[in-house]
Amino acid sequence: MATVFLVEDDMRLSQLTADFLRNHDLTVRQFADGSNLLSHIREERPDILLLDVMLPGEDGFSLCRTVRREYDGPVLFLTARDTNFDQVLGLELGADDYVIKPVEPRVLLARINALLRRVQKDPAAKNHDQLQFGKLQIDRASRKVMLGQEAIQLTSHEFDLLWMLAENASELVEREKIYTELIGREYDGLDRSADVRISRLRKKLNDNQKNPQRIKTIWGKGFFFVADAWE
């Protein structure tokens, strides 16, 4: 059973959410705030973290920034503020997804399961689940990325996005494919989630943000992983 950490200060909502998830074969640990959250994560290594944005004390954005230093599992924000700014900021801080409260419990469960499926390790994974382009090495079985001698720390969603791009090296990966297969929803023409994640990948992989040479944007269409740009 996957373990969910739920950080939500509304105790009634927290209990209703936890009960629903437990009824669908998930183990849930509830927290009313972010006090000692990182310590609990170190001890139990949850499979997914659900973070309310508006919390007493340290808010969800700050907590996400803190835990991302050590935790590479999925982070899903729960936010009552339906603004592009909040959503983009959450993604830039390392969240994998967000839902707007109030959320239908089955929708939340579907989002959680989608994130968990992406990070489950395939027990039959072989060594051929590796890609290498010059100094860049990507290992799908261990979900590790090396750039030269440097280990690149990616979130679960960043890794999946990089693998999708690299697996289709020198080919256009359309936005619609990223949204439907990785993000889990249709692209509406306005959602910037993919752009934010691409920007984070470029930064971590030492690509030029203003004039990218390794992961290029094909405006109006999608993204292009340059196979010979990793020497």
Side-chain angles (χ1 to χ4, degrees):
M1 294 174 66
T3 299
V4 178
F5 273 20
L6 172 61
V7 188
E8 168 63 72
D9 65 318
D10 183 329
M11 288 296 96
R12 180 175 178 276
L13 177 58
S14 177
Q15 194 60 51
L16 288 171
T17 302
D19 289 345
F20 181 83
L21 297 180
R22 288 174 181 135
N23 287 335
H24 288 81
D25 300 323
L26 293 170
T27 299
V28 183
R29 286 284 314 275
Q30 295 167 253
F31 304 87
D33 56 42
S35 302
N36 301 315
L37 178 62
L38 187 56
S39 296
H40 291 295
I41 288 175
R42 287 169 178 158
E43 292 174 3
E44 299 184 47
R45 305 305 300 179
D47 296 287
I48 187 169
L49 173 63
L50 308 187
L51 267 180
D52 185 22
V53 171
M54 301 299 292
L55 291 167
E58 193 173 6
D59 67 21
F61 291 143
S62 178
L63 284 170
C64 182
R65 184 184 295 110
T66 298
V67 302
R68 270 305 185 213
R69 297 169 188 161
E70 300 186 32
Y71 176 69
D72 61 359
V75 175
L76 189 153
F77 270 127
L78 308 172
T79 176
R81 303 191 298 189
D82 186 8
T83 68
N84 287 334
F85 174 79
D86 284 346
Q87 294 160 14
V88 171
L89 177 59
L91 295 171
E92 288 178 339
L93 291 173
D96 294 280
D97 202 355
Y98 59 86
V99 293
I100 307 300
K101 297 191 296 185
V103 58
E104 166 63 38
R106 291 191 178 276
V107 172
L108 177 60
L109 179 63
R111 294 286 188 89
I112 291 171
N113 285 335
L115 289 173
L116 290 175
R117 282 194 299 271
R118 291 178 199 137
V119 299
Q120 285 174 344
K121 294 180 180 178
D122 180 0
K126 308 291 185 180
N127 287 335
H128 64 260
D129 280 344
Q130 298 178 349
L131 297 173
Q132 181 160 356
F133 303 88
K135 296 180 180 179
L136 179 68
Q137 301 176 49
I138 311 170
D139 189 314
R140 185 164 61 174
S142 64
R143 300 182 71 82
K144 292 182 179 179
V145 177
M146 297 291 295
L147 185 57
Q149 299 301 312
E150 179 185 2
I152 306 299
Q153 300 300 318
L154 300 181
T155 67
S156 58
H157 206 296
E158 289 167 353
F159 180 90
D160 291 333
L161 178 55
L162 176 61
W163 182 269
M164 175 182 282
L165 294 171
E167 194 175 31
N168 295 278
S170 302
E171 297 179 7
L172 174 70
V173 175
E174 296 182 344
R175 286 176 180 274
E176 289 75 9
K177 178 181 176 70
I178 294 173
Y179 278 88
T180 56
E181 295 187 17
L182 291 187
I183 298 178
R185 55 179 176 269
E186 297 292 329
Y187 178 54
D188 62 6
L190 299 174
D191 194 329
R192 292 187 55 205
S193 301
D195 298 86
V196 172
R197 292 175 171 119
I198 290 289
S199 178
R200 286 177 57 83
L201 268 183
R202 286 174 177 150
K203 182 177 181 180
K204 291 185 177 184
L205 295 171
N206 298 329
D207 202 359
N208 187 312
Q209 294 279 46
K210 294 183 178 179
N211 184 28
Q213 300 299 311
R214 293 176 164 176
I215 302 176
K216 293 180 176 289
T217 299
I218 309 301
W219 295 109
K221 295 184 178 180
F223 304 96
F224 187 91
F225 181 98
V226 182
D228 59 358
W230 303 90
E231 298 301 332

